[in-house]
Amino acid sequence: GAGVSQSPSNKVTEKGKDVELRCDPISGHTALYWYRQSLGQGLEFLIYFQGNSAPDKSGLPSDRFSAERTGGSVSTLTIQRTQQEDSAVYLCASNPRSGLGGYTFGSGTRLTVV
Amino acid sequence: RKEVEQDPGPFNVPEGATVAFNCTYSNSASQSFFWYRQDCRKEPKLLMSVYSSGNEDGRFTAQLNRASQYISLLIRDSKLSDSATYLCKVRTGANNLFFGTGTRLTVIP
């Protein structure tokens, strides 16, 4: 697509439920990144994909978080048993190739755990 | 010590003023540098890359000082529409990219 598309744009979920966030990167971009940003805070790196593989999962906050990417395109970030501290904006970005140039970010998914 | 540090501000400047922000980085092997702009409740957008020789894009000038390990962003003739948070990003290795926490700029009429 023309830009990075994320869905849903907003998600309100009850504590303890699982949520799945989707990112559709720019067509042909092989590198894909997930970040989260809490209110008034900086960008927290979560995970990075080069193609379908994730060389760096170091930012995932706990084992409740997982991500996958299939077909070198769409990625899903899954949060199991959500907690209130998971509330944040989850941003996805893509790049033609890892480490080169700037990112294009999607508009994010605003997750609220109540 | 954080990989990348920025003064959070806020910087409140009058329209037409010149303002500059710095972003310091801790790893001398850092290779690529970028400035992003983030409007309130929006995603960050790439503003400009920072080249070794410095580069300019209209009213915006980016510079790199490797000796002192910082990059800078200078905005001339500030407009109200420049009000945003400015984030720096530094690449240290193929997979090591770090964002600063951002500097908030408010341009006042």
Side-chain angles (χ1 to χ4, degrees), chain B residues 46-61:
Chain B
L46 180 65
L47 181 63
M48 58 199 301
S49 302
V50 185
Y51 302 128
S52 297
S53 55
N55 48 299
E56 191 173 303
D57 182 2
R59 297 181 293 107
F60 297 81
T61 300

Side-chain angles (χ1 to χ4, degrees), chain A residues 18-104:
Chain A
D18 297 352
V19 294
E20 194 172 274
L21 313 180
R22 176 188 167 106
C23 172
D24 198 346
I26 292 173
S27 179
H29 280 197
T30 60
L32 185 149
Y33 306 82
W34 283 99
Y35 287 83
R36 74 176 175 183
Q37 190 173 36
S38 302
L39 190 63
Q41 302 297 308
L43 289 163
E44 179 186 0
F45 170 77
L46 298 178
I47 189 169
Y48 143 73
F49 288 92
Q50 178 59 43
N52 292 334
S53 65
D56 189 351
K57 303 181 183 179
S58 62
L60 293 177
S62 75
D63 59 8
R64 296 186 295 106
F65 287 72
S66 62
E68 65 174 16
R69 189 179 186 196
T70 54
S73 183
V74 172
S75 175
T76 54
L77 176 69
T78 301
I79 310 173
Q80 295 178 308
R81 304 181 304 281
T82 51
Q83 303 294 312
Q84 287 185 325
E85 62 263 27
D86 299 334
S87 297
V89 176
Y90 288 80
L91 290 159
C92 173
S94 73
N95 183 276
R97 192 177 143 196
S98 164
L100 297 182
Y103 298 163
T104 302

Side-chain angles (χ1 to χ4, degrees), chain B residues 20-32:
Chain B
F21 319 124
N22 286 344
C23 166
T24 59
Y25 59 93
S26 61
N27 191 327
S28 60
S30 297
Q31 301 158 340
S32 305

